[in-house]
Amino acid sequence: MPDQPDLPPPATEREHARKVYRAMLEARQLETKLASLYKAGKIVGGVYLGKGQEAVSASLGGSLKWKHDVFAPLIRDQGGRTAFGEDLLDCARTYLGSVEGPMRGRDGNIHRGRPAEGLLAMISHLGAAVPVVTGMLLARRLKGELDGVVGATCIGDGGTSTGAFHEGLNAAAVEKLPLVVVVANNQFAYSTPNDRQFACEDLYDRAKGYGVAGHRVDGTDFLACLRVIGGAVASARAGGGPQMVVANLLRLSGHGEHDDGSYVPDTLRAGHLGQDCMDVARQQMVDSGYATAEEIEGWRSELEDRVQRALAKAQQETKPDPWHETWQACSQNPALPFEA
């Protein structure tokens, strides 16, 4: 028989991959600009990049539904925020202190959210988002509004050692709530390596102890992340109870832009985990027929311009005035996510 012709990939799979990959591109473009603004003294506070974690984060955010599910991102989850549906201007305005942003210039960088739409503000106390999302899911159950809803959050390897992580995941397991916890094991809790954080062979082994479904994925492999993380979300949505995904990867920058990451061995950087998920994703998109190289370059140019325009707009907007700020919930501006 003659060779079968190459068939185009299923439209839904292709379009989902394109959507998530574009979110990754936008997040990388945005954070590259934010790093430059930080170094130029234009941003007060810290800047924490998701470089190397975009495939994991965006795969989770892209599997969730805006204004339906609950998503609690962590410091390196711009990819997930973008894929979930966060407005680019929300990020730009928060980092640059615009009064038009969701934090009204009160707080910089990552502590922003749109809780009414399901996007929670990042909690600095590591692990704390797990019980918060668990509580929100339980509240929806009690109100009869849980059907088809998923609550998800990301956490780092170090954060899995906190009491809040344990209590939140244990409660979700007992209640069989549709919680998805994605652990980005970037090998270091700030500068503390895995072998000084936990004694189990793999964080994946902990899932069984909690009584939740466990999954492992190579965090540098974009298509694998889409499949495994998307599958975990689908399972939780279908009634499969809590899911824990452990993604192995390497943070390709310091803990923040104030940190050079010099404690990471060169051998680890040169190994498999040190590859950039953006480079892997680009090759996979082309090889799978999901996008052409020309399309990707067009997206890159388009998104770079979009990011630049958003940052320029935020820089020109009014900064908060403490003499006129009431420091109360803003009822006069319905665009803001606070209610009186």
Side-chain angles (χ1 to χ4, degrees):
M1 292 180 61
D3 292 339
Q4 292 293 320
D6 291 334
L7 298 176
T12 53
E13 180 180 290
R14 177 179 182 272
E15 291 310 310
H16 180 61
R18 288 164 67 92
K19 168 198 165 186
V20 174
Y21 179 69
R22 280 178 58 91
M24 291 167 60
L25 277 176
E26 182 174 306
R28 178 63 68 88
Q29 295 275 9
L30 173 60
E31 292 193 330
T32 299
K33 297 289 186 183
L34 291 174
S36 296
L37 288 170
Y38 173 79
K39 291 169 183 173
K42 303 289 186 181
I43 290 177
V44 177
V47 171
Y48 304 90
L49 304 184
K51 189 176 182 181
Q53 194 168 313
E54 292 95 342
V56 172
S57 182
S59 291
L60 178 59
S63 298
L64 302 171
K65 302 175 184 178
W66 181 257
K67 294 186 177 180
H68 180 77
D69 294 327
V70 176
F71 179 39
L74 203 61
I75 59 175
R76 269 173 262 286
D77 281 320
Q78 185 56 49
R81 288 173 174 272
T82 302
F84 183 50
E86 182 183 53
D87 189 336
L88 175 59
L89 271 172
D90 274 7
C91 179
R93 284 168 166 164
T94 303
Y95 270 101
L96 292 166
S98 166
V99 75
E100 300 296 326
M103 304 307 292
R104 294 162 57 193
R106 296 175 174 182
D107 190 290
N109 58 66
I110 48 181
H111 302 112
R112 65 185 190 276
R114 293 283 179 179
E117 281 74 39
L119 181 64
L120 304 190
M122 184 267 173
I123 305 171
S124 286
H125 299 81
L126 297 181
V130 180
V132 168
V133 176
T134 295
M136 292 180 72
L137 292 173
L138 184 58
R140 290 200 183 190
R141 173 184 283 172
L142 295 174
K143 293 166 66 177
E145 299 173 355
L146 189 59
D147 188 42
V149 171
V150 170
T153 187
C154 291
I155 194 166
D157 42 289
T160 64
S161 298
T162 64
F165 170 84
H166 162 77
E167 293 173 11
L169 187 54
N170 186 64
V174 170
E175 295 294 335
K176 295 180 171 54
L177 295 170
L179 172 72
V180 178
V181 177
V182 174
V183 181
N185 181 8
N186 59 34
Q187 315 305 308
F188 290 88
Y190 202 136
S191 60
T192 305
N194 279 178
D195 62 4
R196 301 304 300 162
Q197 294 182 59
F198 50 84
C200 58
E201 184 175 344
D202 193 314
L203 284 174
Y204 161 84
D205 297 331
R206 289 187 174 180
K208 186 175 181 180
Y210 284 107
V212 306
H215 313 269
R216 278 179 291 202
V217 68
D218 178 350
T220 71
D221 187 328
F222 170 54
L223 294 183
C225 288
L226 278 182
R227 182 181 67 255
V228 174
I229 296 174
V233 171
S235 181
R237 199 181 301 283
Q243 313 284 313
M244 187 173 109
V245 182
V246 177
N248 288 303
L249 48 85
L250 184 66
R251 190 178 64 219
L252 300 184
S253 59
H255 178 73
E257 284 302 276
H258 58 278
D259 169 39
D260 64 6
S262 57
Y263 43 82
V264 180
D266 290 340
T267 52
L268 190 55
R269 293 184 187 277
H272 176 79
L273 294 181
Q275 64 182 337
D276 191 339
C277 66
M278 296 299 299
D279 295 337
V280 175
R282 184 186 186 281
Q283 193 61 51
Q284 289 179 329
M285 289 292 287
V286 173
D287 291 347
S288 63
Y290 290 164
T292 65
E294 291 75 19
E295 278 184 301
I296 291 173
E297 289 310 307
W299 293 343
R300 190 185 305 278
S301 178
E302 169 201 339
L303 294 171
E304 183 176 11
D305 179 65
R306 185 166 179 263
V307 165
Q308 189 60 46
R309 284 187 285 108
L311 291 170
K313 179 176 176 61
Q315 283 183 292
Q316 295 167 3
E317 290 176 344
T318 305
K319 301 297 185 288
D321 182 350
W323 298 106
H324 293 91
E325 172 61 71
T326 65
W327 305 109
Q328 297 173 0
C330 185
S331 58
Q332 65 267 28
N333 188 347
L336 297 175
F338 302 98
E339 295 179 359

